[in-house]
Amino acid sequence: MRIKTITAVAAAALMATSFALTGCSSDSSSGDDLVSVNAAEPQNPLVPTNTNENMGGRVVDRLWAGLKYYDGGGTPHNEMAQSIETTDRQHYKITIKPDWKFTDGTAVTAKSFVDAWNYGALGTNAQLQNWAFTPILGYEDVSASPPKAQTLSGLKVVDDHTFTVDLKQPSIDFELELGFAPFYPLPEAAYKDMKAYGENPIGNGPYKFANTGAWQHNVQIELVPNPDYPGGRPAKNKGLRFKMYANMDTAYADLLQGNLDALDVIPDTALATYEQDLGDRAIHKPIAYSQHIGSQPNLAHFSGPEGVLRRKAISMAINREQIATNIFHGTRVPTKDFTAFTLPGFRDGLPGSEVLKFNPDEAKKLWAQADAISPWSGTYQIAYNSDGGHQAWIEAVANSVKNTLGIDAVGAPYPTFKSIRDEIQAKTIGKAFRYGWQGDYPSMFEFLTALYLSTSETNNAGYNSPEFDGLLSKALAAPTPEAAYDIIAQAQAVLFRDMADIPVFDYNVAAGRSDKVKKADVSWSGLFDFENIEK
């Protein structure tokens, strides 16, 4: 899942607010029992189909319940689904549990799901998670510009508790992904003004907004348990406070001082000491999270055959092993593919993956070949958000590229996650940029579809390959997981050939809890298992 960014003036205000917030130790002085966790300002209003970054996503997943949910280990369980029936993995009958309500008191029905999915798929709504509906019959007509239909022909409401889903072809992944945010239901109230709804959302999950002012922009979001939630992940705490930080060093200082209860990003400045600082409160485990460097086709020297050569050259100019050791102390792993190394079906040594290994001589050779097409000029800039703890590794990557290729390469800081995401999404960033993807459901298909499918709104690098799209579709239709993984390997070989972007690191999460918390586990994706945090 997901990514984030603001203006210089707003950033200064945000930083001042963040320091003021942490300086007053709001958690301890207020006397409440909410669990405080690190966060940053979500990019957009909190609408499930339009939230594709993890700062908004971590809140959205608390406010809603889907047909399924994933436990801390990534195992799927039915949540609102009473049953999901299919004989061919193409035609589904879904029955939802009765007597489930949104927090405004209205009933969650089959129509609540079907209407929400149609809204998310409709091209004129420009929802960032639109790609999730690609397998459903009629998606091409609904997502076309202008749309040829207003609703997905593959969705039908049978009665209040039953609906059917027809896919274009069998899918080995469809049922697994039904706990993913784009498949959440929406109440009727949402459609009156979706932007306003996203500022004060009405969900059906284990938490709800604490009050109408629960979202203090650039400061915090407060959630309290939903007393009417009947599902399998009830809150074991009295609520969550998502505290927004402009600097991870500040967040870590708050963790040590007991002013923050749980932190999922230990800053690189503390990686050498955090296990000693925190003792048994330190957390370190492999997760489904990958870090990339992307560039868009409108960036000079990075389109067509020249762009392929330059991306491969830059990739081979990055000494991933050295950076992982010197900066991250084992909490990052040099990546081996375009997904994440903890996912089912991951394979090492894919054809073309040698381009991910440090090879200065080959990097210089490829750069020279690109220069023969169009001589290089200017500075290679890598944009990153300063509120995510990325400065040290981006500068190390830039230095590695500079020293290997003999070009001017630098990091280009943006003050917030929201500001960089806004420019990436608008395709106005005008430089290379770091971005990551954190798993929403445990499947390689999610990473590959979200980031590289030509029609995906979250295809940040603007990659477009009918060959790759076709192989992804073929893999989904495979009869067994192993057959699907074989085809996914072929699809990734195409990504390596085209160097769709530059994968850099997989993650071993470094996180921690304060001494006020007796239990706080990190889930399979690297986010906390928020419902089960206990003070």
Side-chain angles (χ1 to χ4, degrees):
M1 146 186 157
R2 323 201 205 200
I3 328 165
K4 197 172 186 123
T5 50
I6 135 180
T7 66
V9 173
L14 168 59
M15 190 169 292
T17 303
S18 181
F19 283 125
L21 176 65
T22 57
C24 72
S25 302
S26 59
D27 290 335
S28 56
S29 63
S30 66
D32 66 38
D33 292 319
L34 270 63
V35 172
S36 59
V37 295
N38 66 289
E41 178 72 4
Q43 183 186 7
N44 297 309
L46 298 174
V47 176
T49 49
N50 204 41
T51 300
N52 77 317
E53 41 80 23
N54 77 40
M55 296 305 164
R58 65 184 60 199
V59 181
V60 162
D61 289 339
R62 317 279 74 79
L63 296 174
W64 271 271
L67 295 168
K68 288 183 172 289
Y69 73 92
Y70 314 103
D71 64 24
T75 301
H77 303 270
N78 281 356
E79 188 167 27
M80 272 209 68
Q82 185 74 53
S83 63
I84 300 172
E85 303 172 58
T86 183
T87 58
D88 57 6
R89 295 185 292 115
Q90 183 173 2
H91 304 286
Y92 292 82
K93 178 184 176 182
I94 299 174
T95 304
I96 64 172
K97 295 172 182 175
D99 304 322
W100 202 303
K101 296 184 183 300
F102 291 107
T103 54
D104 65 353
T106 59
V108 184
T109 65
K111 189 174 183 292
S112 306
F113 284 94
V114 170
D115 287 353
W117 297 10
N118 280 323
Y119 178 86
L122 188 62
T124 50
N125 291 328
Q127 298 295 282
L128 295 176
Q129 303 275 47
N130 72 324
W131 58 268
F133 306 104
T134 304
I136 300 176
L137 196 65
Y139 175 78
E140 284 76 13
D141 290 339
V142 171
S143 61
S145 182
K148 298 177 182 177
Q150 296 296 305
T151 58
L152 293 157
S153 59
L155 295 181
K156 295 287 188 297
V157 175
V158 176
D159 57 40
D160 278 354
H161 301 112
T162 312
F163 66 103
T164 59
V165 184
D166 295 326
L167 307 183
K168 291 177 285 189
Q169 63 176 35
S171 171
I172 203 165
D173 215 46
F174 182 69
E175 184 172 345
L176 175 63
E177 66 183 306
L178 290 177
F180 181 25
F183 296 100
Y184 292 157
L186 291 176
E188 285 294 328
Y191 303 102
K192 295 176 183 176
D193 185 338
M194 194 62 74
K195 183 176 180 181
Y197 168 77
E199 293 288 335
N200 190 25
I202 297 163
N204 64 323
Y207 293 90
K208 61 181 182 178
F209 264 26
N211 50 60
T212 54
W215 186 352
Q216 299 177 47
H217 288 281
N218 300 318
V219 179
Q220 64 185 25
I221 295 175
E222 290 189 341
L223 309 183
V224 293
N226 173 9
D228 299 319
Y229 170 74
R233 50 188 182 111
K236 293 183 179 178
N237 49 63
K238 295 185 178 180
L240 301 168
R241 177 179 292 115
F242 292 92
K243 296 175 65 170
M244 300 172 190
Y245 286 90
N247 183 288
M248 287 297 102
D249 288 310
T250 306
Y252 185 65
D254 269 8
L255 183 74
L256 294 178
Q257 293 164 13
N259 296 326
L260 181 69
D261 291 320
L263 176 64
D264 63 15
V265 180
I266 302 295
D268 54 69
T269 54
L271 287 175
T273 61
Y274 85 103
E275 291 179 304
Q276 179 178 343
D277 293 342
L278 298 174
D280 62 2
R281 295 182 285 113
I283 304 167
H284 184 194
K285 63 184 282 188
I287 60 170
Y289 190 175
S290 61
Q291 195 70 239
H292 304 244
I293 293 173
S295 58
Q296 297 174 335
N298 58 5
L299 181 62
H301 298 290
F302 282 89
S303 62
E306 180 191 358
V308 173
L309 290 166
R310 294 205 188 280
R311 287 190 295 275
K312 288 184 176 180
I314 290 167
S315 179
M316 300 179 90
I318 299 171
N319 193 334
R320 293 169 176 80
E321 290 280 359
Q322 184 180 76
I323 295 169
T325 299
N326 292 350
I327 293 177
F328 292 120
H329 301 275
T331 62
R332 302 289 185 274
V333 179
T335 193
K336 302 292 180 65
D337 77 342
F338 288 88
T339 66
F341 73 141
T342 60
L343 294 171
F346 169 82
R347 295 179 181 178
D348 198 353
L350 291 173
S353 62
E354 62 275 4
V355 77
L356 300 178
K357 297 178 180 177
F358 184 52
N359 189 335
D361 291 339
E362 186 65 17
K364 293 173 184 175
K365 178 182 175 182
L366 293 172
W367 194 259
Q369 291 175 12
D371 278 345
I373 297 174
S374 176
W376 173 258
S377 61
T379 300
Y380 181 68
Q381 299 182 71
I382 309 171
Y384 65 93
N385 53 299
S386 297
D387 61 353
H390 299 291
Q391 180 178 357
W393 78 265
I394 287 293
E395 289 183 350
V397 165
N399 284 333
S400 190
V401 171
K402 179 179 180 179
N403 293 336
T404 301
L405 299 178
I407 64 170
D408 190 14
V410 297
Y414 281 63
T416 67
F417 183 56
K418 175 176 167 35
S419 54
I420 191 171
R421 287 307 307 161
D422 287 347
E423 289 196 15
I424 292 170
Q425 197 63 45
K427 297 179 173 58
T428 59
I429 188 131
K431 54 182 74 72
F433 52 89
R434 84 96 212 153
Y435 70 109
W437 195 262
Q438 194 163 14
D440 296 286
Y441 61 96
S443 169
M444 290 195 293
F445 280 106
E446 191 213 351
F447 282 69
L448 296 176
T449 304
L451 297 183
Y452 308 111
L453 184 72
S454 60
T455 56
S456 169
E457 287 287 342
T458 52
N459 182 339
N460 293 285
Y463 179 67
N464 189 336
S465 168
E467 182 181 2
F468 171 80
D469 291 354
L471 285 167
L472 202 58
S473 179
K474 184 179 177 182
L476 282 168
T480 65
E482 275 307 310
Y485 301 148
D486 288 341
I487 302 168
I488 282 177
Q490 297 173 39
Q492 292 213 66
V494 173
L495 296 179
F496 279 119
R497 182 196 69 198
D498 298 341
M499 207 62 201
D501 66 6
I502 303 172
V504 184
F505 294 117
D506 286 336
Y507 275 55
N508 285 312
V509 73
R513 59 182 173 87
S514 80
D515 57 9
K516 296 180 180 179
V517 174
K518 67 178 179 180
K519 181 181 179 183
D521 296 328
V522 169
S523 73
W524 66 277
S525 70
L527 293 175
F528 279 103
D529 186 4
F530 292 103
E531 287 79 11
N532 290 309
I533 298 177
E534 297 180 46
K535 274 200 165 181

